């Protein structure tokens, strides 16, 4: 877990990290979140001279932001957790916003990160899986059911690997950091090989690594072109572990996307700017948005 005290202008005033404790079960994870939030609030009172006036929390999985419920998260093992109500109670009844982790990170990247000033953007972090956040006029579009932006489950190769969602050939089975790690481990014969190692091998000219890397880039470009055909973003922000490869990723990716477009407009394709602080900053922005909404109401 990453957490922060965030100022009105998005400044990180204090940052801290804790283990989720997920090996102890879902209830322990929830208690860890509540205790961590209380610690953070106490830190503000002691070291900054004032208490937090609102809170934001971003979690993975399926989220009902309107009702404040963490509906389901496979890796945390919870279902239907009324997280907003629990946090508000623990924090002295201050207003609490609940968001989806990728959409919340996208909110921060769009407002104060790589998408700053872009009216329409699409944020795609390439991590263990692949998700996306659709930014429109400073807010993130969640969709009618909270599932908008799930680019990782666009099928780019119908005869590709099985995906946990039940389909075959989903983008995240081919172009996520986890997918590159699997492919490079198999190609190199080293079970300990990973995506970062593949990128380094590409830079040194290893032909097997180049094949693995290009295969992932081709799949990623196919998925991104589908997304930009539907969404027409002005800026495409790529983050997550694979983006840490820098131009080893971005130079061939920009070329692969450009090769595939016909009538579509090519967006600016840029690396994410906020790294792993995006979620904290986005949660802070959600909290400040709550207060500004209350004032305007």
């Amino acid at each position: 877990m990453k957490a922060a005290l965030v100022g009105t202008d998005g400044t990180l005033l204090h940052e801290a990290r804790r283990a989720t404790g997920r090996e102890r079960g879902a209830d322990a994870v929830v208690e860890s979140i509540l205790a961590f939030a209380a610690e953070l609030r106490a830190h503000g009172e002691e070291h900054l001279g004032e208490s937090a006036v609102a809170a934001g929390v971003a979690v993975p999985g399926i989220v009902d932001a309107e009702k404040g419920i963490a509906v389901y998260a496979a890796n945390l093992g919870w279902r239907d957790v009324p997280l907003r109500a629990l946090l508000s109670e623990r924090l002295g009844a201050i207003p609490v916003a609940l968001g989806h982790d990728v959409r919340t990170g996208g909110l921060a990247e769009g407002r104060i990160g790589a998408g700053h000033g872009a009216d329409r953007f699409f944020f795609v972090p390439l991590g263990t899986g692949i998700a996306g956040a659709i930014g429109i006029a400073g807010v993130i579009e969640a969709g009618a059911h909270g599932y908008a932006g799930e680019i990782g489950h666009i099928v780019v190769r119908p005869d590709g690997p099985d995906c946990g969602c039940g389909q075959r050939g989903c983008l995240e089975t081919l172009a996520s950091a986890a997918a590159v790690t699997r492919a490079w481990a198999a190609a190199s014969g080293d079970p300990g090989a990973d995506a970062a190692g593949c990128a380094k091998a590409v830079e040194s000219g290893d032909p097997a690594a180049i094949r693995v890397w290009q295969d992932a880039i081709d799949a990623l470009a196919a998925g991104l072109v589908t997304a930009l055909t539907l969404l027409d973003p002005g800026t495409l922000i790529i983050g997550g572990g694979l983006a840490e490869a820098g131009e080893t990723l971005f130079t061939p990716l920009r070329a692969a996307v450009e090769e595939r477009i016909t009538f579509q407009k090519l967006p600016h394709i840029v690396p994410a700017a906020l790294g792993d602080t995006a979620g904290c900053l986005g949660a802070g922005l959600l909290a400040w948005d709550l207060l500004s909404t209350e004032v305007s109401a």
Side-chain angles (χ1 to χ4, degrees):
M1 299 185 291
K2 295 179 285 289
L5 292 167
V6 182
T8 52
D9 59 353
T11 303
L12 274 176
L13 304 174
H14 171 69
E15 190 178 1
R17 296 170 186 247
R18 298 281 185 281
T20 58
R22 65 180 180 176
E23 68 282 353
R24 292 183 285 122
D27 289 346
V29 174
V30 173
E31 179 52 38
S32 295
I33 292 170
L34 301 180
F36 195 11
E39 280 179 40
L40 207 65
R41 183 171 184 244
H43 180 94
E45 290 170 340
E46 182 179 348
H47 297 279
L48 301 175
E50 58 183 315
S51 178
V53 289
V57 59
V59 298
I62 300 170
V63 177
D64 186 333
E66 196 172 314
K67 293 180 180 175
I69 295 172
V71 179
Y72 176 68
N75 61 338
L76 297 176
W78 65 34
R79 284 185 183 274
D80 299 321
V81 178
L83 204 50
R84 183 172 64 197
L86 292 171
L87 266 172
S88 184
E89 181 183 352
R90 182 68 65 95
L91 298 175
I94 65 172
V96 175
L98 176 66
H100 179 269
D101 57 350
V102 172
R103 288 196 288 270
T104 302
L107 178 69
E109 282 290 352
R111 283 202 200 165
I112 58 177
H116 180 63
D119 185 55
R120 299 285 193 281
F121 69 88
F122 190 45
F123 170 58
V124 183
L126 309 172
T128 304
I130 299 178
I134 303 164
I136 302 172
V139 298
I140 302 297
E141 172 56 49
H145 308 97
Y147 294 179
E150 289 291 347
I151 186 176
H153 296 291
I154 287 177
V155 175
V156 292
R157 293 186 188 150
D159 58 347
D162 290 336
C163 180
C165 77
Q167 301 185 110
R168 291 188 66 187
C170 287
L171 180 60
E172 73 173 40
T173 68
L174 298 158
S176 63
V180 173
T181 290
R182 286 192 300 271
W184 178 228
S188 66
D190 176 6
D194 61 12
C198 184
K200 288 186 175 66
V202 168
E203 291 161 12
S204 66
D206 185 302
I210 291 169
R211 282 194 297 273
V212 166
W213 197 252
Q214 193 59 50
D215 193 50
I217 283 172
D218 288 345
L220 181 56
L224 291 176
V225 168
T226 298
L228 67 89
T229 302
L230 289 169
L231 303 173
D232 187 28
T235 303
L236 191 55
I237 306 167
I238 309 295
L242 280 193
E244 292 174 10
E247 287 307 313
T248 301
L249 173 71
F250 284 93
T251 296
L253 179 61
R254 290 185 186 110
V257 170
E258 190 167 5
E259 283 171 11
R260 283 167 172 76
I261 62 172
T262 53
F263 66 89
Q264 305 93 334
K265 292 292 185 182
L266 185 68
H268 298 291
I269 301 175
V270 299
L274 302 176
D276 67 357
T277 63
C280 289
L281 289 166
L285 292 173
L286 287 179
W288 284 116
D289 283 356
L290 270 186
L291 296 177
S292 62
T293 302
E294 286 184 358
V295 169
S296 63

